[in-house]
Amino acid sequence: TLRENPNAITQEEIDTLLAEVGELILLPQDEVPTIATVADPEALKDQAFFANAQKDDKVLIYAGAQKAILYSPARKQVIEVAPVNIGEGELPPAPAPEAETTPEVTQ
């Protein structure tokens, strides 16, 4: 089956993921989400949405419904839900630069 349709497993994983998340929260029914996997949660810790993310958590992005859902398959929990504003060709404003700080060394 995999040789005939290499996307079969991927679609099955997506269907399973949507079924699991759908048991915990009402999902938009009129669109298919974009799905991303958290590969490096440490790199995302400065973003509030990812504060409690772990490696391999999933992000479901519903552009039409303007909603993002952070789901942990390992914990079987919805970790965070946030509004998403995806403008047409617009980029969000860049964050203000922060002053560099030197970490304290304790002995």
Side-chain angles (χ1 to χ4, degrees):
T1 302
L2 189 56
R3 287 184 186 160
E4 293 170 15
N5 186 0
N7 294 323
I9 297 221
T10 303
Q11 187 60 49
E12 184 177 326
E13 290 173 348
I14 290 170
D15 292 344
T16 299
L17 176 65
L18 294 177
E20 286 179 10
V21 177
E23 291 290 321
L24 302 171
I25 188 170
L26 185 61
L27 297 175
Q29 297 299 309
D30 57 346
E31 69 178 299
V32 177
T34 299
I35 300 173
T37 299
V38 176
D40 184 3
E42 286 303 313
L44 303 169
K45 287 293 183 192
D46 61 334
Q47 298 178 42
F49 182 78
F50 294 103
N52 295 307
Q54 294 179 351
K55 186 174 181 352
D56 296 326
D57 283 355
K58 305 293 183 187
V59 181
L60 287 73
I61 303 167
Y62 289 91
Q66 298 183 334
K67 182 185 295 188
I69 301 167
L70 177 62
Y71 174 70
S72 173
R75 296 177 274 179
K76 303 282 189 216
Q77 291 182 321
V78 171
I79 307 304
E80 189 69 64
V81 178
V84 175
N85 186 7
I86 301 175
E88 293 181 22
E90 295 179 19
L91 293 175
E98 296 181 16
E100 278 191 37
T101 57
T102 305
E104 293 182 30
V105 178
T106 55
Q107 297 180 349

